[in-house]
Amino acid sequence: MADTGVVEALLLGLEKAEDGVDSLELSSSLGVEHQVVVGAVKSLQSVGEVISAEQRSSKHWQLTEEGVEISELGSHEARVFECIPVEGLLQSELMKLPFGKIGFTKAMSNKWIRVDKTSEGGPLIFRSVQTIVDQVREKLLNVLNGKDAELEEKEKSELKKRRLLSEVTVKSYWITKGSSFSTTITKQETELTPEMIVSGNWKDNKFKPYNFEAMGVPLDCGHLHPLMKVRTQFRQIFLEMGFTEMPTNNFIESSFWNFDSLFQPQQHPARDQHDTFFLSDPALTLDFPQDYLQRVKKVHTEGGFGSQGYKYEWKVEEAQKNILRTHTTAVSARMLYKLAQQKFTPVKYFSIDRVFRNETLDATHLAEFHQIEGVVADYDLTLGDLMGVLHQFFTKLGLEKWVEVGNSGVFRPEMLLPMGLPEDVSVIAWGLSLERPTMIKYGINNIRELVGHKVNLQMVYDGPICRLDT
């Protein structure tokens, strides 16, 4: 809020002035900071055409902090001259003074002092003249008193070089009377109220002009979608835990990688058209690693690796059918197979991407959603390792209450060993969804403990406790 006294003084000054008032001169005459006068100008401008203010810029010279000190105490060279007694002063003692070094150089240049280097105690400094004129201080005093115009440009440049003087740009206002000038300010109304209309007061009130050039309220736009925010949070958690993101840009997948490689039988209900979208063009995939395909076929039909298999006639025609992937575990299967084709090293993978289900649409179900999946492959992993990873993962997520949060477990050997992974390598995995309150189900047929018994994949989280119900 502007100073009322300054506002009144400004208006009275304008009333007496023939042409106008300079804001710098007004601040000087009132003994206030220039910014206080600027505040008064802005305040008067806000109430209408009371005043007109033209901004001006001017350059002038002002003393630096060191320049102010010299204007009060004298220049360095003058102070050096004054401190030298008749019998002389040791140069070493002079250099201990704060102004000694600079003052000695300038005083020698002015030939005010001389040095006797033959003295036994060290160089002695004596005065060379009886009196001096401190022109540096006189010039600075002229600037301080507003008489900088009396200085030549060369003199100003020299003082500036010594960092005693600086040139500054000052912005001020030339203030004149406006079309509605008055020494009495009446507050302008900013809105027309029902009471004004009823009473008729609006006819006598002065209203503030509407500013059509003013900026409106910034639009609240450009936000990330909530799912994108949650996805970013999950991704950051995985990266902090040392996981590597899997490539998931293939929405179209063959039934082989989506189902068969996961040891899911071909007559499983999830492979029915009521649950899966099948493609008509291209309808089939023909390119598979044949040796791996034969091992998958064998473990389905005959068993192996400690399993009796499903004992049915496995058909490659079913495996060739193209679908919209029903889970990102198909990507995990491809990555694990790729890992098995080289010297094994422990890995931690994750993915967050879209999957598709042929489901009835309702308020909580769509034909597509996002699956979050974590996979860890290492030697001799157990459910204890899975629980530890899940504890860390969901702690970072910030879950604190009893809720159903996801499905998890250990991949079956019937899935891993046909790929070519070593027998002592285990793979733990878990999954959840961005959209659904419950987690994505991996399918109980392709996950079990390595000891052979099947597990309930529901994982319950309670504060620091994670458990798998068996």
Side-chain angles (χ1 to χ4, degrees):
M1 183 179 292
D3 189 305
T4 304
V6 175
V7 171
E8 292 177 353
L10 172 56
L11 293 174
L12 291 175
L14 278 175
E15 188 178 33
K16 297 176 182 179
E18 295 182 1
D19 47 1
V21 174
D22 182 76
S23 60
L24 280 174
E25 294 178 359
L26 181 61
S27 65
S28 178
S29 64
L30 295 177
V32 297
E33 294 288 337
H34 181 248
Q35 196 58 36
V36 176
V37 177
V38 172
V41 171
K42 297 293 185 182
S43 178
L44 290 171
Q45 285 180 319
S46 68
V47 297
E49 301 295 329
V50 178
I51 63 169
S52 295
E54 176 189 353
Q55 191 176 52
R56 295 179 175 180
S57 297
S58 61
K59 293 184 178 181
H60 74 277
W61 295 90
Q62 71 177 23
L63 273 57
T64 64
E65 184 177 348
E66 187 177 4
V68 173
E69 178 187 343
I70 288 178
S71 69
E72 297 173 352
L73 304 177
S75 65
H76 300 105
E77 52 267 38
R79 278 183 274 176
V80 165
F81 180 84
E82 295 296 338
C83 75
I84 298 175
V86 177
E87 63 275 14
L89 179 67
L90 285 172
Q91 185 176 3
S92 59
E93 293 297 321
L94 175 63
M95 294 303 171
K96 294 179 181 178
L97 300 175
F99 52 82
K101 186 175 181 180
I102 297 177
F104 171 77
T105 302
K106 293 294 183 181
M108 286 290 292
S109 178
N110 294 339
K111 298 182 180 181
W112 291 351
I113 59 175
R114 61 183 177 84
V115 181
D116 182 4
K117 297 183 179 181
T118 62
S119 176
E120 294 182 0
L124 271 176
I125 301 175
F126 295 92
R127 294 184 180 184
S128 298
V129 295
Q130 295 297 319
T131 60
I132 61 169
V133 177
D134 191 355
Q135 294 182 344
V136 172
R137 184 186 182 192
E138 290 181 354
K139 293 173 184 177
L140 293 177
L141 288 173
N142 283 339
V143 175
L144 193 63
N145 295 325
K147 300 178 181 179
D148 54 279
E150 297 181 5
L151 273 65
E152 297 180 0
E153 290 300 320
K154 183 178 180 181
E155 294 174 318
K156 294 176 183 177
S157 179
E158 180 63 27
L159 292 174
K160 182 179 179 181
K161 187 176 181 181
R162 290 186 63 173
R163 297 182 180 178
L164 305 178
L165 204 62
S166 63
E167 189 177 24
V168 295
T169 300
V170 177
K171 292 183 179 180
S172 61
Y173 287 92
W174 178 251
I175 310 162
T176 57
K177 297 176 183 178
S179 58
S180 302
F181 176 78
S182 173
T183 56
T184 303
I185 302 301
T186 303
K187 183 179 179 182
Q188 294 178 313
E189 300 292 342
T190 58
E191 59 180 310
L192 180 65
T193 65
E195 292 76 15
M196 292 179 186
I197 296 175
V198 172
S199 64
N201 290 341
W202 63 271
K203 298 177 181 179
D204 302 319
N205 290 343
K206 290 187 176 181
F207 290 89
K208 185 176 181 179
Y210 193 87
N211 183 8
F212 290 96
E213 302 298 326
M215 298 295 291
V217 177
L219 295 177
D220 190 19
C221 60
H223 296 287
L224 287 175
H225 190 280
L227 284 180
M228 293 301 296
K229 291 183 179 180
V230 176
R231 176 178 178 148
T232 301
Q233 180 184 5
F234 275 110
R235 187 172 185 273
Q236 185 60 36
I237 291 174
F238 275 117
L239 294 175
E240 289 175 0
M241 294 175 64
F243 281 70
T244 301
E245 190 166 10
M246 294 185 285
T248 55
N249 55 345
N250 53 322
F251 294 160
I252 298 175
E253 189 58 270
S254 67
S255 295
F256 175 79
W257 288 108
N258 197 85
F259 298 122
D260 296 275
S261 66
L262 307 180
F263 195 54
Q264 187 177 94
Q266 293 185 339
Q267 66 271 26
H268 194 281
R271 302 178 68 155
D272 190 81
Q273 288 188 354
H274 295 292
D275 293 288
T276 303
F277 289 108
F278 287 85
L279 268 68
S280 58
D281 186 21
L284 302 176
T285 294
L286 304 177
D287 185 17
F288 299 105
Q290 290 300 316
D291 53 345
Y292 174 48
L293 183 142
Q294 292 302 320
R295 291 195 295 270
V296 170
K297 176 181 178 180
K298 182 177 180 181
V299 77
H300 275 253
T301 57
E302 302 175 13
F305 312 107
S307 171
Q308 64 179 3
Y310 292 117
K311 304 297 183 182
Y312 73 100
E313 184 181 356
W314 186 88
K315 298 180 180 180
V316 69
E317 292 80 10
E318 285 294 325
Q320 290 174 340
K321 292 180 179 179
N322 285 333
I323 63 171
L324 292 180
R325 68 181 178 206
T326 61
H327 46 201
T328 54
T329 316
V331 181
S332 300
R334 285 180 177 272
M335 295 298 291
L336 291 173
Y337 173 75
K338 183 178 178 180
L339 179 67
Q341 308 315 303
Q342 58 196 31
K343 184 178 180 180
F344 178 79
T345 55
V347 294
K348 293 191 288 186
Y349 293 137
F350 82 95
S351 64
I352 307 173
D353 212 335
R354 282 188 287 175
V355 297
F356 307 87
R357 303 285 175 85
N358 191 3
E359 296 183 351
T360 302
L361 302 183
D362 57 32
T364 60
H365 294 81
L366 293 175
E368 65 176 88
F369 58 93
H370 290 77
Q371 179 177 338
I372 303 167
E373 183 165 340
V375 176
V376 180
D378 204 345
Y379 294 103
D380 301 319
L381 292 176
T382 66
L383 288 179
D385 297 300
L386 175 60
M387 292 168 65
V389 174
L390 290 177
H391 175 262
Q392 183 182 8
F393 180 83
F394 287 107
T395 297
K396 286 179 175 290
L397 192 58
L399 293 181
E400 299 294 339
K401 297 181 180 180
W402 285 85
V403 288
E404 179 187 342
V405 291
N407 301 309
S408 59
V410 183
F411 281 128
R412 298 176 66 119
E414 296 97 324
M415 169 186 169
L416 301 178
L417 296 180
M419 293 178 174
L421 290 169
E423 292 185 5
D424 53 351
V425 168
S426 304
V427 178
I428 57 177
W430 72 98
L432 57 149
S433 169
L434 284 177
E435 294 90 346
R436 294 181 177 179
T438 57
M439 302 308 173
I440 299 172
K441 298 177 181 179
Y442 277 85
I444 200 166
N445 290 302
N446 69 306
I447 303 178
R448 72 172 186 179
E449 262 193 291
L450 288 178
V451 294
H453 71 272
K454 294 187 176 181
V455 297
N456 183 340
L457 302 181
Q458 176 173 313
M459 192 282 291
V460 180
Y461 181 83
D462 179 33
I465 301 173
C466 293
R467 76 171 189 268
L468 291 170
D469 293 340
T470 62

